[in-house]
Amino acid sequence: MEANRQSRLEARARILKALGHASRLMIVEELADGEKCVAELTQTVGSDMSTVSKHLSLLKSVGLVQDRKEGTQVFYRLLAPCVLGFFQCVENVMDVQVQRQILLAK
Amino acid sequence: MEANRQSRLEARARILKALGHASRLMIVEELADGEKCVAELTQTVGSDMSTVSKHLSLLKSVGLVQDRKEGTQVFYRLLAPCVLGFFQCVENVMDVQVQRQILLAK
DNA sequence: GACATATTTGGTTATTTGGCCAAACTTGCA
DNA sequence: TGCAAGTTTGGCCAAATAACCAAATATGTC
């Protein structure tokens, strides 16, 4: 029955891994304000549109975002706003880590 | 000033990426109950001890855990229990995703 | 149908990751 | 001093990731 725990953790990991990339975090941050199309996101992220599209499809594949077609455009929206709550904690870890490094450097 | 946003997001990503692996999530889960030594964690994770040690040093490098030497053993403890709060949200995303797949299969 | 716009997909390449094994530390103890 | 136990580090290899470009795929318009 350990295989159960394993696969549960792998599923969790897939979602967290999807958030483990600066561009994808930027996308999530942008979508926090409401849905945006690929071109808009490409503009802010600054990579090739194909790259951004792949990031989006990864986020979609784990269920973090949803897409909606409108004419020739595709709008993405954040399906799990609860992830925005992660950032407070993450920011905290970052700050503590910075302090730690400063102490270490002395 | 966009470089600022970029590096902030990269720092965030580093932490989330550290959580994006089943073995490391297992370690975090184990450490939620209190500190454990490498041998104990190796036991539950089931990989080579060297592998577990590397996972631990990654978690440590981003500030998620802390280590403490006691004799020949090294005990690790969770430095950021707030990450445990992520799992509720992640679990939710997982459930919704499962429903989505079921609907899609019909 | 032909063309333009928006997006995705496929191919290629360079980099990173995660695993194991063996070797190197480090600490405690005979 | 020398051995044993616990841990980390380095080397190596296979697989996964992320980037770009070019080509394919809608969709709307003339």
Side-chain angles (χ1 to χ4, degrees):
Chain A
M1 301 303 109
E2 268 310 315
N4 208 333
R5 183 182 192 190
Q6 187 62 22
S7 60
R8 194 171 45 80
L9 289 175
E10 272 162 12
R12 278 191 191 174
R14 235 171 286 130
I15 292 167
L16 288 166
K17 191 150 73 169
L19 292 172
H21 189 285
S23 300
R24 291 193 293 267
L25 284 181
M26 192 176 287
I27 289 171
V28 167
E29 216 170 56
E30 289 296 313
L31 295 185
D33 303 333
E35 61 177 22
K36 297 228 164 51
C37 72
V38 183
E40 287 177 292
L41 293 168
T42 297
Q43 172 74 5
T44 42
V45 170
S47 309
D48 194 271
M49 182 180 277
S50 69
T51 302
V52 172
S53 173
K54 278 172 187 168
H55 283 312
L56 285 165
S57 99
L58 177 60
L59 288 172
K60 182 181 161 191
S61 76
V62 300
L64 284 170
V65 305
Q66 197 178 28
D67 61 343
R68 175 177 73 81
K69 208 162 284 186
E70 183 177 319
T72 74
Q73 307 185 73
V74 179
F75 289 88
Y76 281 84
R77 71 184 191 84
L78 189 57
L79 209 51
C82 55
V83 299
L84 298 172
F86 294 8
F87 300 148
Q88 170 91 38
C89 168
V90 168
E91 220 72 27
N92 216 30
V93 173
M94 282 164 61
D95 291 347
V96 172
Q97 186 63 355
V98 168
Q99 296 311 316
R100 196 171 300 277
Q101 299 303 344
I102 289 172
L103 285 177
L104 233 145
K106 286 186 182 173
Chain B
M1 300 308 106
E2 269 310 317
N4 207 334
R5 183 180 192 191
Q6 187 62 22
S7 59
R8 193 172 45 80
L9 289 174
E10 272 161 12
R12 277 191 191 174
R14 235 170 286 132
I15 293 167
L16 289 165
K17 189 149 75 169
L19 292 171
H21 189 285
S23 300
R24 291 193 294 266
L25 284 180
M26 192 176 288
I27 289 171
V28 167
E29 215 170 56
E30 289 296 313
L31 295 185
D33 303 333
E35 60 176 24
K36 297 227 165 50
C37 71
V38 182
E40 287 176 292
L41 293 168
T42 297
Q43 172 74 5
T44 41
V45 170
S47 310
D48 194 271
M49 182 179 279
S50 68
T51 301
V52 173
S53 173
K54 278 172 187 168
H55 283 313
L56 285 165
S57 98
L58 177 60
L59 289 171
K60 182 182 160 191
S61 77
V62 300
L64 284 170
V65 305
Q66 197 178 28
D67 60 343
R68 175 177 74 81
K69 208 161 288 187
E70 183 177 321
T72 75
Q73 308 185 74
V74 179
F75 289 89
Y76 282 84
R77 70 185 194 82
L78 189 56
L79 209 52
C82 55
V83 300
L84 298 172
F86 294 8
F87 300 148
Q88 171 90 36
C89 168
V90 168
E91 221 71 26
N92 216 30
V93 173
M94 282 165 60
D95 291 347
V96 171
Q97 187 63 356
V98 168
Q99 295 313 314
R100 196 172 301 275
Q101 298 303 343
I102 290 171
L103 285 178
L104 232 146
K106 284 188 183 170

